[in-house]
Amino acid sequence: MQEAFGHRYQIEAEADSHGDIVAGRLVDNAGGQIVPIVDGISRFVTGENYADGFGLQWNVFRSTQLDSRSGRKLSFQRFWEGTKWRPRDVYGKRVLEAGSGAGRFTEVLLDAGAIVTTFDLSEAVVANRLNNATGGEVVFFQGNIYDIPCQDAVFDYVFCYGVLQHTPEPDRAFQALVQKVKPGGRISIDYYLKHDRLDPFNQPKYFWRRWTVDMPPRKLLSIIRAYMPLWLPIDTFIRRIPFLGPKLLGVLRIPCWNYLRSGLTREQRLEWAILDTFDALSARYDTPRTLDEVRHMVEQVEGLDDIEVFYGSNGVVANARRM
């Protein structure tokens, strides 16, 4: 933990029989800030925030997207295909993961032998720790992406998927992440794609979000739980109609994240559909961008080269190296 936060903080903590810190506090040497450590998580933020819905989501669906739970390699494939890193690249290297959710990618990194510092703004970090605390060398904290308490320019890799479009100021968030990459290190982010095509995701999602964003998260989740078992088989039937099926679903505007050809079982697809439909409708911020807009966000940050921006599994992926 000391290595994760540098020498800015003094640790006053209790450890378990394995030497893992489970309780205590961090004391800021400069300003005297007190950061509580609760259940092994340093809490740099407290109280309600715009990511509370994600906290609910990832604690309810704590293990849904873990490859070790699903028996598939969906997280594994998305991570390595997007970052274009290799397991041997991150072995023994320091990796910062921003916006961890329940830790589907934390698991992938730990399995590859990375030294991981991972955080989330929401209570999702609790789910991540429950999932991955024993998976390898890892530090968990709850923190703000705009004010990451780790030292600048110390991480070999910085990783952030499924996050930036859900922040109030995505460009500022990206710049904060770049600051943590050491010279010669690499960063990989992804971003929702903005487009005008009629599809089964965008039209239902952005039609309903005008009402669902302000709905109490538990109420929204209960509504999705109620209709999804009935609608998912119908959605599946329509989706299988060549060419016209996805467009028809876009017109019908019934939100349903259907992982039809993922290899998941029927029960797993239902669980994933409820999870990701809630994710799409509940997030306080959701600002998709075109590929060129994502490229501009990356290129306007000084000190990056080897920039590659391409269409990926979650929309657009951007990779770069810090000079």
Side-chain angles (χ1 to χ4, degrees), residues 156-206:
D156 301 287
Y157 296 90
V158 171
F159 171 79
C160 182
Y161 277 19
V163 176
L164 292 182
Q165 62 272 338
H166 295 312
T167 63
E169 300 176 77
D171 292 68
R172 180 183 164 207
F174 178 69
Q175 291 167 5
L177 293 174
V178 171
Q179 291 176 4
K180 303 305 172 184
V181 186
K182 68 191 303 184
R186 294 191 172 272
I187 184 170
S188 184
I189 61 101
D190 74 359
Y191 211 101
Y192 287 169
L193 176 64
K194 179 171 66 178
H195 61 78
D196 297 322
R197 298 191 306 272
L198 188 64
D199 67 27
F201 302 111
N202 271 22
Q203 281 72 27
K205 175 181 180 178
Y206 294 110

Side-chain angles (χ1 to χ4, degrees), residues 195-220:
H195 61 78
D196 297 322
R197 298 191 306 272
L198 188 64
D199 67 27
F201 302 111
N202 271 22
Q203 281 72 27
K205 175 181 180 178
Y206 294 110
F207 174 79
W208 286 103
R209 276 184 54 80
R210 69 189 81 178
W211 297 289
T212 59
V213 166
D214 293 321
M215 188 178 295
R218 291 187 181 277
K219 179 179 180 180
L220 174 60

